[in-house]
Amino acid sequence: MTKLLDKKSVINLIDKEADIIIPIANGEPIQLLDLLEEHASELSGVKIHQMLALHPRKYILGEMPGQLSHVSYFLSGATRKTYQQAKMELVPNNFHEVPRMLSKVTKMSMIFSVASPMDEHGYFSLGTQADYVAEFIGKVPFILEVNRNMPRTFGLNQIHVSQIAGYVEHDTPLAEEVVPEIGEKDMRIAEKVAADIQDGDTLQIGIGSVPNAVMSLLKNHRNLGIHTEMLPDGIVDLVESGAIDGTKKFTNKGKIVATFAYGTKRLYDFINNNPSVEFLPVSVVNDPREIAKEENIVSINATTEVDLYGQCASETVGGKYYSSSGGQIDFARGVRFANNGKGFICMHSTAKNDSISRIKLDLTPGSVVTTGKNDVDNVVTEYGIARLHGRSISDRAKQLISIAHPKFRAELTAQAIERGIIN
């Protein structure tokens, strides 16, 4: 019996007040969500739960009250303004805890996801995804949107036709990341981080121009491993240069491990039918206890501002919510538990053409601490590395002031003395 669904059959599967879970980024099923919006008058109290939505929609904008609404776990360009207008909900979380959180606070009524076509054994692949949905394969009904452009990948993201409620077919190109341009400051930061990376280290690499710059400097390294939440484009260059082979990893030896991929078509082509890449649930990839098993793990992430205690506000900009915590704290804690772990949180020292210091006595009012002072290892700007772990508050403040823009160092020192942080 075929499980190919027509529009009416999909809508008939949606209960009143259902909680529908949508994966990150390219796991977002365009046709299925179009269908929900088209038939919103037939729905009642349905909530769509998702991190990092790619496309702005009527229900995200709050235009379908009582029918369809959006609950975010990480803001994006499609959701940020709506949240700032208080028209949708944002749930704080650490990324590795999202599957457990969803199972506790939602009905887990159904999961909608994009998948690659079924193979000869009856298996679909979630492609660029495992994230927080792969954990529920065989436990929660799935409706798949089969897209021939979705790469077939390996790991714990395979779902058998017997485990789904049905599928629709919709071929569309995958969304691609706009790769940020690498600037002079990015390269200066990257040079400092790259100098601390040794042959045989395992890397977690965040999104943005600084992580991209770091990857560009590692092509002559050898035996690097990858254990990262998001798989970026720069991985392809490192594999092709011979820098990555995973032979020194302590878990998943020889495998590039991620929980989702987001990049350009070059990345999607690279992961397609590539047995060296495995996508595992975020509850595995981002669990600090699992991260710590990689004894030489190096984590590279970004923040927007840091205070003189070392608190990092990485999800707000100018005191307004911009994203969410993601996996930054997962890896900050994981590297601390690892025998030789290193964590780097990177940022430009200033904003707005050097008129504002990102290193501050106090965080901007309204800012939210993402990574607390006790979990921060190293903070990096274009002026150097502040090595904070195990340092006193006074030493931390002095280290941070030393990597601030020179024009702000005297003012920061005076403020710290007045506050009694340093003497």
Side-chain angles (χ1 to χ4, degrees), residues 224-260:
L224 296 176
I226 299 296
H227 182 108
T228 189
E229 62 180 60
M230 189 195 85
L231 199 65
D233 264 53
I235 298 296
V236 183
D237 290 329
L238 292 181
V239 171
E240 292 180 349
S241 71
I244 291 173
D245 66 11
T247 57
K248 302 296 184 182
K249 292 181 71 181
F250 290 80
T251 65
N252 305 292
K253 194 176 291 289
K255 301 293 185 180
I256 294 169
V257 169
T259 200
F260 76 103

Side-chain angles (χ1 to χ4, degrees), residues 5 9-11 13-15 18-24 26-37 43 46 48-50 59 68 109-115 126 129 131-133 140-145 165-166 168:
L5 301 174
S9 298
V10 172
I11 297 302
L13 288 169
I14 310 302
D15 295 331
D19 288 308
I20 298 176
I21 314 301
I22 306 292
I24 287 174
N26 279 302
E28 181 179 301
I30 294 172
Q31 186 181 77
L32 286 172
L33 293 177
D34 285 347
L35 186 58
L36 291 186
E37 289 190 328
L43 303 175
V46 174
I48 308 293
H49 301 260
Q50 187 183 13
Y59 71 82
L68 276 177
S109 308
M110 190 164 287
I111 294 172
F112 285 4
S113 180
V114 179
L126 299 184
Q129 311 303 125
D131 59 55
Y132 42 84
V133 300
V140 174
F142 275 69
I143 296 181
L144 301 180
E145 182 170 300
V168 300

Side-chain angles (χ1 to χ4, degrees), residues 374-391:
N374 300 348
D375 292 310
V376 176
D377 190 8
N378 303 290
V379 176
V380 192
T381 74
E382 67 271 29
Y383 292 103
I385 300 178
R387 302 188 187 276
L388 304 187
H389 191 255
R391 300 291 184 94

Side-chain angles (χ1 to χ4, degrees), residues 174-370:
L174 300 190
E176 298 186 38
E177 180 197 9
V178 178
V179 179
E181 183 178 347
I182 297 174
E184 179 186 352
K185 290 181 180 180
D186 301 322
M187 287 303 300
R188 287 166 61 187
I189 294 169
E191 287 166 358
K192 294 167 177 58
V193 174
D196 262 17
I197 297 174
Q198 307 298 315
D199 289 349
D201 283 348
T202 294
L203 308 180
Q204 178 264 322
I205 301 174
I207 191 170
S209 55
V210 171
N212 287 344
V214 172
M215 286 187 286
S216 75
L217 298 175
L218 300 178
K219 294 177 184 177
N220 292 324
H221 281 61
R222 288 296 176 264
N223 307 125
L224 296 176
I226 299 296
H227 182 108
T228 189
E229 62 180 60
M230 189 195 85
L231 199 65
D233 264 53
I235 298 296
V236 183
D237 290 329
L238 292 181
V239 171
E240 292 180 349
S241 71
I244 291 173
D245 66 11
T247 57
K248 302 296 184 182
K249 292 181 71 181
F250 290 80
T251 65
N252 305 292
K253 194 176 291 289
K255 301 293 185 180
I256 294 169
V257 169
T259 200
F260 76 103
Y262 187 50
T264 67
K265 188 175 184 299
R266 182 168 182 247
L267 176 66
Y268 305 146
D269 289 343
F270 170 77
I271 64 176
N272 184 48
N273 282 313
N274 187 339
S276 73
V277 181
E278 291 195 347
F279 289 90
L280 306 180
V282 70
S283 56
V284 175
V285 175
N286 279 45
D287 186 330
R289 295 165 295 189
E290 292 296 319
I291 294 165
K293 293 176 183 177
E294 287 296 339
E295 295 187 7
N296 301 315
I297 186 82
V298 178
S299 173
I300 306 164
N301 286 293
T303 193
T304 60
E305 57 183 58
V306 180
D307 70 12
L308 292 185
Y309 295 101
Q311 300 181 113
C312 296
S314 307
E315 56 201 274
T316 48
V317 175
K320 291 186 177 180
Y321 244 109
Y322 187 83
S323 55
S324 191
S325 303
Q328 185 172 119
I329 188 61
D330 294 340
F331 278 89
R333 288 178 176 162
V335 300
R336 291 270 41 86
F337 296 144
N339 282 347
N340 304 305
K342 300 175 186 175
F344 298 93
I345 296 183
C346 307
M347 65 177 186
H348 294 177
S349 65
T350 60
K352 295 188 177 180
N353 297 318
D354 295 338
S355 65
I356 297 174
S357 177
R358 292 182 184 270
I359 295 175
K360 302 172 178 290
L361 176 67
D362 297 307
L363 299 176
T364 302
S367 293
V368 172
V369 175
T370 304

